[in-house]
Amino acid sequence: MSSAMDMQNFNIINDPITSEPKIIARDVNVFYGASQALKSINLDIGANEVTSLIGPSGCGKSTFLRCLNRMNDVIENCMVEGRINLDGIDIYNSGLDPVLLRARVGMVFQKPNPFPKSIYDNVAYGPKLHGTVSNKDELDERVEKSLRRAGLWDEVKDRLDKPGTGLSGGQQQRLCIARAIAINPEVILMDEPCSALDPIATAKIEELIDELRKRFTIVIVTHSMQQAARVSQKTAFFHMGEVVEVGETDKLFTSPQDDRTQGYITGRFG
Amino acid sequence: MEQLALFFALLFLTVLGFILGKGRAVALSGQSDQPLHSRLPYYGLYTAIWCGLPSLLIMAGWMIFEPQIAEILVKSQLKEANQSLSADQLSLYINDVINLASGGILSREPDESILEAAESYHLFKQISYFAMAVVAISVSLVTLFGSLRKISPTLRARNKVEKVISVIMMISSLIAILTTLGIVLSLIFETLRFFEKVPFFDFIFGTHWSPQTALRSDQVGGSGSFGAIPLFAGTMLITFICMVIAIPVGLMSAIYMSEYAGKNFRAFAKPVLEILAGIPTVVYGFFAALTVAPFFRNTGTMLGLDVSSESALAAGAVMGIMIIPFISSLSDDVMNSVPQSLRDASYAMGATKSETITKVIIPAALPGIVGAILLAMSRAIGETMIVVMAAGLAANLTANPLEAVTTVTVQIVTLLVGDQEFDSAKTLAAFALGLLLFVVTLSMNVVALKVVRKYREKYD
Ligand SMILES: Nc1ncnc2c1ncn2[C@@H]1O[C@H](COP(=O)(O)OP(=O)(O)OP(=O)(O)O)[C@@H](O)[C@H]1O
Ligand SMILES: [Mg+2]
């Protein structure tokens, strides 16, 4: 099935959604046991742009993000319904191996979680795993390139064999980003990547996100409206498991259509 | 059993002290508008401690020193009556007196002086008990009322109670430490005495073990040779067999339980596995001696192998089974404490479950696993019952698991079983072996704990 056909089938959203979505989510419901965390989510994620997900705590942003690389599979009682297409291929129902999916859709977590290995081995983990490099030289090159792209190379090039857990929080988070981009994913999911960091480290990561946008499609969950406004082109506002409003970031923040969005971004609740 | 009655009386006073102290605090809090310093129960505890602790200590001290004082009294009385007694006879007489006084039966007809002494000993006992009761109870009452009077809203009852409790806890921990120290010191002293009789290097590097020495000069016995090498070789052989079985099985079950098994299965399987560790080793011992050893022997015969009926293999295999839960349970714990975020990171990189386990979880948990293995190993080295029952006594220096070997622990047991003369080299050798064993297992434990602790620091 070609992606064009697929998109025709689903093109019901008339909002200013990008012309070529990388990911299309239709009618996605997620249940944790009996309780429903996401209700009939429809959302398009544009290629090579940054989409930010905002909303009050517990509204299902992380849950939605984890749907996109099937990390919800790891959670025991979690059930996902509906369709999510990546480049026109249904990632849940087409027999796509989640392992291969995750190689294409990378993820950066809220808390930096480097492996207790050396900095080098942290970045080399993915390429070694997927056999995408054939020899040590290529691997070295890949590690250096990833660290450079993550803006960490200059800080760690002299201590690649030191443990990644010995870096500062901001460096660790950039190491995790380097680790994620080392396998050349198409999409990078970030779940509040700056919430454990100070303003300077945050600024570095935001810069980095802007840089990465050229190559990757990025979805970022954030609690900071300013951050969403700074880094993203599209913003989706989640509320109680639903997408209330989605649109161009500028428009959503300056003239929100929905009262709940208005309330949230002006700080009346959430 | 009069002492027991006194003890309960003091206990009763203590409880009374608690009730009175608390009652007084309640009354105080009703009267004055100044708030009490501590919560009510602390005032109760405060009086209870004042009322119970000193009197109980007096009672304990009394009971420790009374027999000695009584003995001195009896001794002086006997000496007066009969000047010609030697020290040995005197102690014999004192025994008679005490036996007689407590209504025991004597081996011979008591003479006049003994009867007299017994009489006065009995009297002393009674007076002493009476005095102890009076002193203890009056001390208890005095302290009870004294402390009751001290209760006031400003009394820092909680701080005082906590202080006493912390001192009691400190003493408790000292008991354990001092006991260990005492054991180690006695081991060291006896070992030094052993090395006066047998040269150190003959013991450490000797390859021949046959500890039979003549007990009395009229006996014919071997000259005795105390080379510890065969014993340690036997211990190592059995430990090796044990670990060959326990490490793979234990690790795999740990991996299964922490990573693959469902919650329900784990909740059921983990305690069951730990029951294995709770089976008395003597049960493993006869399992080894009566079931496993004959099985190996018969299988060996069928295959045309010469298996000794007390083979190292049987003892090691059963010990391995016993050790499994030590490894699996500890390793399971350390693997479980590898943070979920690391697993998530690995899965999010597109790793499969088995890749995550081998590349992330096991390396992260490795120090803990090594610690678990070392702990299990020191346990195996010190294990006694199974090898006593299943490993045999012959001190063969061999690496063949089908032959009988003996271990350090087995030899310690056999050295000390039966008639002993305390300062013969044979008996003292047990202490030397014990010390050596202790040093080996202690250093393994220290290393293991270091390794485990280092691992803990990483994630906390
Ligand atoms: N593993 C889980 N098991 C059961 N319920 C869960 C689980 N994870 C999340 N939930 C529930 O699903 C709902 C959405 O959670 P989610 O983590 O997606 O919220 P969120 O928008 O990311 O919140 P936050 O901003 O606080 O991170 C919440 O009500 C939460 O309690
Ligand atoms: Mg979240």
Side-chain angles (χ1 to χ4, degrees):
Chain A
M1 199 190 287
S2 82
S3 70
M5 258 176 67
D6 230 39
M7 265 151 48
Q8 272 172 7
N9 291 346
F10 291 119
N11 236 345
I12 29 171
I13 293 189
N14 46 16
D15 234 39
I17 283 291
T18 170
S19 53
E20 35 168 332
K22 180 81 178 169
I23 298 174
I24 305 174
R26 287 296 174 273
D27 210 16
V28 174
N29 292 300
V30 176
F31 301 86
Y32 289 110
S35 76
Q36 187 164 10
L38 288 181
K39 294 169 198 144
S40 188
I41 302 290
N42 290 301
L43 196 64
D44 291 0
I45 311 283
N48 290 83
E49 59 182 20
V50 180
T51 305
S52 60
L53 312 181
I54 60 170
S57 189
C59 64
K61 307 177 296 289
S62 302
T63 302
F64 179 70
L65 203 67
R66 285 200 304 265
C67 288
L68 302 182
N69 65 346
R70 297 191 59 171
M71 278 299 279
N72 282 330
D73 293 15
V74 181
I75 298 171
E76 229 167 74
N77 60 352
C78 182
M79 202 184 70
V80 179
E81 281 175 0
R83 301 187 64 164
I84 297 177
N85 289 10
L86 172 69
D87 283 341
I89 295 166
D90 187 332
I91 62 171
Y92 276 91
N93 303 313
S94 65
L96 178 66
D97 189 342
V99 167
L100 296 181
L101 170 71
R102 289 178 200 143
R104 293 171 61 190
V105 183
M107 188 163 199
V108 177
F109 295 82
Q110 176 170 1
K111 250 181 76 191
N113 54 358
F115 299 125
K117 303 170 183 285
S118 72
I119 293 172
Y120 183 95
D121 285 338
N122 261 285
V123 183
Y125 185 78
K128 271 191 200 159
L129 204 61
H130 298 289
T132 48
V133 288
S134 46
N135 56 41
K136 179 88 171 95
D137 287 343
E138 266 182 55
L139 186 61
D140 287 348
E141 201 182 298
R142 177 73 66 84
V143 168
E144 177 176 344
K145 207 165 99 191
S146 308
L147 283 170
R148 274 191 197 284
R149 277 201 203 152
L152 192 61
W153 176 252
D154 291 328
E155 287 158 72
V156 301
K157 61 171 184 275
D158 301 322
R159 48 167 173 162
L160 288 175
D161 54 342
K162 296 281 178 327
T165 40
L167 296 172
S168 77
Q171 289 173 327
Q172 286 189 15
Q173 194 62 302
R174 277 179 284 151
L175 177 63
C176 292
I177 294 176
R179 182 176 67 188
I181 58 187
I183 47 173
N184 280 326
E186 299 157 33
V187 182
I188 302 177
L189 311 174
M190 299 185 173
D191 194 348
E192 302 180 42
C194 303
S195 64
L197 306 182
D198 71 279
I200 295 173
T202 302
K204 272 200 178 140
I205 301 229
E206 285 178 5
E207 243 169 69
L208 177 60
I209 291 172
D210 210 46
E211 187 64 27
L212 293 174
R213 172 161 72 93
K214 294 174 192 148
R215 280 167 197 282
F216 309 99
T217 301
I218 294 175
V219 186
I220 176 171
V221 172
T222 175
H223 273 278
S224 152
M225 247 76 71
Q226 291 84 342
Q227 184 169 65
R230 282 193 299 264
V231 301
S232 69
Q233 285 73 51
K234 297 275 159 36
T235 298
F237 172 62
F238 279 66
H239 184 58
M240 313 243 308
E242 290 174 76
V243 177
V244 170
E245 191 167 348
V246 51
E248 305 275 349
T249 300
D250 311 341
K251 281 200 191 132
L252 190 124
F253 278 109
T254 48
S255 53
Q257 304 296 306
D258 194 286
D259 282 350
R260 288 168 290 181
T261 321
Q262 169 89 31
Y264 182 70
I265 60 182
T266 54
R268 264 193 281 123
F269 72 92
Chain B
M1 289 308 84
E2 296 127 323
Q3 279 90 346
L4 210 60
L6 179 58
F7 177 73
F8 279 115
L10 290 178
L11 218 56
F12 171 76
L13 280 177
T14 308
V15 173
L16 190 71
F18 180 82
I19 294 167
L20 287 179
K22 196 174 162 189
R24 174 136 175 80
V26 170
L28 271 180
S29 70
Q31 284 165 19
S32 70
D33 18 70
Q34 194 182 0
L36 292 183
H37 170 270
S38 312
R39 288 195 302 112
L40 294 175
Y42 282 110
Y43 292 95
L45 282 176
Y46 174 77
T47 27
I49 287 173
W50 260 116
C51 168
L53 207 56
S55 51
L56 282 172
L57 283 179
I58 288 176
M59 185 179 159
W62 202 293
M63 280 164 63
I64 289 171
F65 291 113
E66 188 204 77
Q68 271 132 26
I69 297 172
E71 207 178 296
I72 293 173
L73 284 180
V74 174
K75 215 185 235 172
S76 65
Q77 199 182 1
L78 282 176
K79 260 212 176 118
E80 251 168 53
N82 196 342
Q83 310 276 343
S84 62
L85 286 176
S86 74
D88 273 357
Q89 278 173 313
L90 198 61
S91 71
L92 215 63
Y93 270 46
I94 288 172
N95 263 339
D96 282 352
V97 169
I98 291 172
N99 267 343
L100 200 61
S102 52
I105 303 158
L106 291 193
S107 48
R108 59 208 154 93
E109 198 57 33
D111 66 22
E112 192 67 10
S113 64
I114 289 191
L115 278 178
E116 220 166 80
E119 189 91 335
S120 57
Y121 177 78
H122 193 67
L123 195 66
F124 172 77
K125 275 280 223 195
Q126 274 181 339
I127 293 172
S128 149
Y129 173 69
F130 188 66
M132 172 168 79
V134 169
V135 170
I137 286 178
S138 48
V139 164
S140 171
L141 286 175
V142 166
T143 49
L144 169 61
F145 287 107
S147 60
L148 268 183
R149 283 188 50 184
K150 276 183 83 174
I151 289 184
S152 72
T154 50
L155 178 72
R156 301 160 72 80
R158 177 172 50 82
N159 308 38
K160 297 201 166 158
V161 168
E162 276 168 1
K163 180 100 200 197
V164 172
I165 290 175
S166 76
V167 167
I168 291 175
M169 290 192 289
M170 192 189 75
I171 292 172
S172 312
S173 59
L174 272 185
I175 290 176
I177 294 172
L178 290 180
T179 313
T180 315
L181 208 68
I183 291 175
V184 173
L185 284 181
S186 84
L187 273 181
I188 289 177
F189 283 125
E190 301 304 332
T191 304
L192 287 180
R193 279 177 65 195
F194 172 70
F195 287 135
E196 278 165 17
K197 294 176 195 285
V198 176
F200 178 71
F201 288 108
D202 286 4
F203 176 69
I204 292 285
F205 297 119
T207 55
H208 185 60
W209 176 265
S210 100
Q212 299 316 322
T213 47
L215 273 183
R216 294 191 305 274
S217 46
D218 57 329
Q219 272 182 327
V220 189
S223 56
S225 59
F226 295 92
I229 295 261
L231 309 190
F232 276 90
T235 301
M236 289 306 149
L237 178 62
I238 287 182
T239 305
F240 176 75
I241 296 168
C242 160
M243 296 320 269
V244 162
I245 291 170
I247 290 177
V249 178
L251 281 188
M252 283 196 264
S253 75
I255 292 172
Y256 179 74
M257 281 204 299
S258 78
E259 305 301 324
Y260 288 97
K263 269 207 184 74
N264 292 333
F265 179 77
R266 186 166 185 270
F268 156 81
K270 203 169 178 207
V272 170
L273 246 173
E274 276 159 9
I275 287 179
L276 268 185
I279 296 177
T281 53
V282 66
V283 175
Y284 281 109
F286 58 70
F287 176 59
L290 302 181
T291 313
V292 178
F295 169 75
F296 280 142
R297 186 177 157 75
N298 294 342
T299 325
T301 323
M302 258 159 50
L303 298 173
L305 288 171
D306 186 20
V307 182
S308 153
S309 60
E310 296 181 315
S311 60
L313 186 61
V318 173
M319 204 194 276
I321 289 169
M322 186 194 81
I323 292 291
I324 288 172
F326 287 82
I327 294 182
S328 71
S329 191
L330 272 173
S331 310
D332 173 48
D333 285 345
V334 288
M335 289 203 287
N336 249 315
S337 65
V338 172
Q340 181 63 30
S341 66
L342 290 187
R343 291 163 222 259
D344 286 347
S346 176
Y347 290 136
M349 297 295 297
T352 61
K353 188 156 200 157
S354 59
E355 285 164 342
T356 302
I357 292 169
T358 51
K359 296 204 165 75
V360 175
I361 294 173
I362 291 185
L366 197 60
I369 292 173
V370 170
I373 289 174
L374 284 178
L375 281 179
M377 207 152 131
S378 76
R379 168 86 204 215
I381 290 177
E383 170 53 39
T384 310
M385 217 54 222
I386 294 177
V387 279
V388 165
M389 295 173 82
L393 292 173
N396 293 327
L397 187 53
T398 173
N400 181 355
L402 304 180
E403 277 183 48
V405 296
T406 191
T407 70
V408 177
T409 48
V410 170
Q411 287 308 316
I412 294 178
V413 171
T414 48
L415 285 174
L416 294 181
V417 167
D419 278 345
Q420 296 307 327
E421 194 179 6
F422 196 63
D423 49 2
S424 77
K426 187 183 161 199
T427 315
L428 291 174
F431 287 92
L433 287 177
L435 183 66
L436 207 54
L437 197 62
F438 176 74
V439 168
V440 170
T441 52
L442 180 75
S443 40
M444 285 179 71
N445 279 349
V446 168
V447 172
L449 287 180
K450 270 238 163 74
V451 169
V452 171
R453 187 162 319 141
K454 197 167 158 208
Y455 162 79
R456 290 251 160 81
E457 278 163 8
K458 224 191 257 161
Y459 295 117
D460 285 350

